[in-house]
Amino acid sequence: MTTPLVAGLAIGAAAYAGRALIQVGSKWQAAGSAVGRSFYKGGFQAEMTKREAALILGLRESAAADKVKDAHRKIMIANHPDSGGSSFLATKVNEAKEMMLGKGRRRTNVF
């Protein structure tokens, strides 16, 4: 007599746990594959700023040079033109690295 009751409760608990797992999985999938991180979703500005460079590399504007180099390396491994990546994106990532390291374009007037 108690066996069908226990079996019913076990099936109900498994169904409830499965439903909760499906709900959590759909929320995680809707959030994107980068859990806990959001990537820069905007277009590029005409003139690169330090803020935009930090957004492209996924860093803070005050990041240390070694963190900038590590982030640049990781992005370039994924987007290098020789391995099927975009040359435009590679150019922007390189420009962002230069801007973050303080080697950005220096406007010097020769006149």
Side-chain angles (χ1 to χ4, degrees):
M1 183 82 168
T2 61
T3 304
L5 180 64
V6 171
L9 288 174
I11 291 171
Y16 185 73
R19 179 176 174 258
L21 187 63
I22 289 172
Q23 287 177 344
V24 168
S26 65
K27 286 181 184 177
W28 181 71
Q29 192 174 27
S33 62
V35 176
R37 258 183 92 134
S38 61
F39 293 101
Y40 183 56
K41 296 180 181 174
F44 297 110
Q45 298 174 1
E47 182 77 22
M48 174 88 55
T49 62
K50 191 155 186 168
R51 181 178 185 276
E52 184 182 22
L55 287 171
I56 290 170
L57 294 174
L59 300 170
R60 294 178 184 238
E61 290 182 42
S62 60
D66 58 334
K67 293 208 182 236
V68 171
K69 291 176 185 176
D70 288 342
H72 173 265
R73 186 176 190 284
K74 286 179 184 178
I75 295 171
M76 285 305 292
I77 287 172
N79 293 311
H80 198 276
D82 290 344
S83 60
S86 167
S87 60
F88 178 72
L89 288 178
T91 303
K92 286 297 184 180
V93 170
N94 286 332
E95 186 178 353
K97 175 189 158 199
E98 291 174 1
M99 178 65 70
M100 291 294 290
L101 293 177
K103 300 176 185 174
R105 294 182 183 176
R106 289 179 173 72
R107 303 285 181 214
T108 56
N109 193 353
V110 294
F111 296 108

